[in-house]
Amino acid sequence: NAGVTQTPKFQVLKTGQSMTLQCAQDMNHNSMYWYRQDPGMGLRLIYYSASEGTTDKGEVPNGYNVSRLNKREFSLRLESAAPSQTSVYFCASQINRQGKSGYTFGSGTRLTVV
Amino acid sequence: AQTVTQSQPEMSVQEAETVTLSCTYDTSESDYYLFWYKQPPSRQMILVIRQEAYKQQNATENRFSVNFQKAAKSFSLKISDSQLGDAAMYFCAYAGGTSYGKLTFGQGTILTVHP
């Protein structure tokens, strides 16, 4: 089925460890996004990529890096995980970066940093 | 910066009854889009309904409708004939014409449906 695939679905890290969250979409969308969801705060934008080859910071980028590997893939890297990064992470894609275009979300990654 | 506020952390409704979830937003843009997303326990984000700011007519999707008050910057979601499957977290979200597709979400409202 066409959509946004995130891996892994669950992950436990120790403080200071690094990891990469993977996201891939097969809908030929140009724009991709990474959000984090915390209780009582909704989803907040970490980084986005308006098109292949470009990335920009969102509302909460500190502690994260991203790579738009190609049109399909947009990865999120935690270089040195901290307990404050315990969250549910969502990747989303959109055919272009206009508000009227529909968004497709992945099923999320629950990350726990101990 | 745009902000979205959902002032009801939790709401409950009896099956077959009607419930309204509130959302207010703040923006200086004239061109924008508003959304309601449903998030069941599976975590999947499901689009419920979308409203384009330049359209005066309120959007409807089957049992779901919105009351869009542009001057008051209010965007409430009405669920009619509530069903057990409607139980979920609901998020209000905003995308501005100049924010290049980036969504700003409210804090969410947990909806419980009682049989």
Side-chain angles (χ1 to χ4, degrees), chain A residues 48-112:
Chain A
Y48 67 99
S49 172
S51 61
E52 184 180 357
T54 68
T55 61
D56 285 286
K57 295 178 180 179
E59 181 184 355
V60 288
N62 291 344
Y64 305 94
N65 285 302
V66 290
S67 296
R68 184 74 183 266
L69 304 171
N70 47 55
K71 192 171 186 178
R72 291 186 62 249
E73 299 172 288
F74 188 40
S75 62
L76 178 71
R77 183 162 178 83
L78 288 70
E79 291 291 351
S80 179
S84 61
Q85 294 178 304
T86 293
S87 188
V88 178
Y89 292 85
F90 286 93
C91 178
S93 71
Q94 191 185 25
I95 190 164
N96 55 41
R97 57 183 187 178
Q98 296 179 14
K100 64 182 180 181
S101 301
Y103 301 83
T104 301
F105 284 85
S107 57
T109 296
R110 180 175 292 279
L111 175 67
T112 302

Side-chain angles (χ1 to χ4, degrees), chain B:
Chain B
Q2 294 80 18
T3 59
V4 177
T5 302
Q6 293 178 249
S7 59
Q8 305 156 318
E10 299 182 25
M11 292 286 285
S12 64
V13 64
Q14 292 293 132
E15 197 174 5
E17 297 294 309
T18 296
V19 65
T20 298
L21 308 184
S22 301
C23 173
T24 59
Y25 59 95
D26 188 23
T27 184
S28 58
E29 296 178 304
S30 59
D31 177 26
Y32 54 87
Y33 303 83
L34 296 164
F35 307 82
W36 278 99
Y37 280 92
K38 171 185 178 182
Q39 186 183 45
S42 66
R43 288 204 312 251
Q44 189 65 44
M45 294 291 287
I46 302 166
L47 178 64
V48 175
I49 201 164
R50 182 181 75 178
Q51 175 77 42
E52 298 167 31
Y54 68 87
K55 289 188 176 180
Q56 293 186 343
Q57 186 174 4
N58 289 326
T60 62
E61 289 287 343
N62 300 314
R63 298 182 295 107
F64 299 86
S65 61
V66 298
N67 183 4
F68 174 47
Q69 300 290 326
K70 191 172 183 178
K73 296 180 181 175
S74 171
F75 183 60
S76 61
L77 174 69
K78 185 172 82 171
I79 305 174
S80 303
D81 186 26
S82 296
Q83 300 175 359
L84 295 176
D86 295 333
M89 173 79 85
Y90 286 82
F91 290 101
C92 179
Y94 167 101
T98 60
S99 59
Y100 301 105
K102 295 176 285 183
L103 286 168
T104 299
F105 286 86
Q107 301 90 332
T109 298
I110 299 172
L111 178 65
T112 301
V113 181
H114 298 289

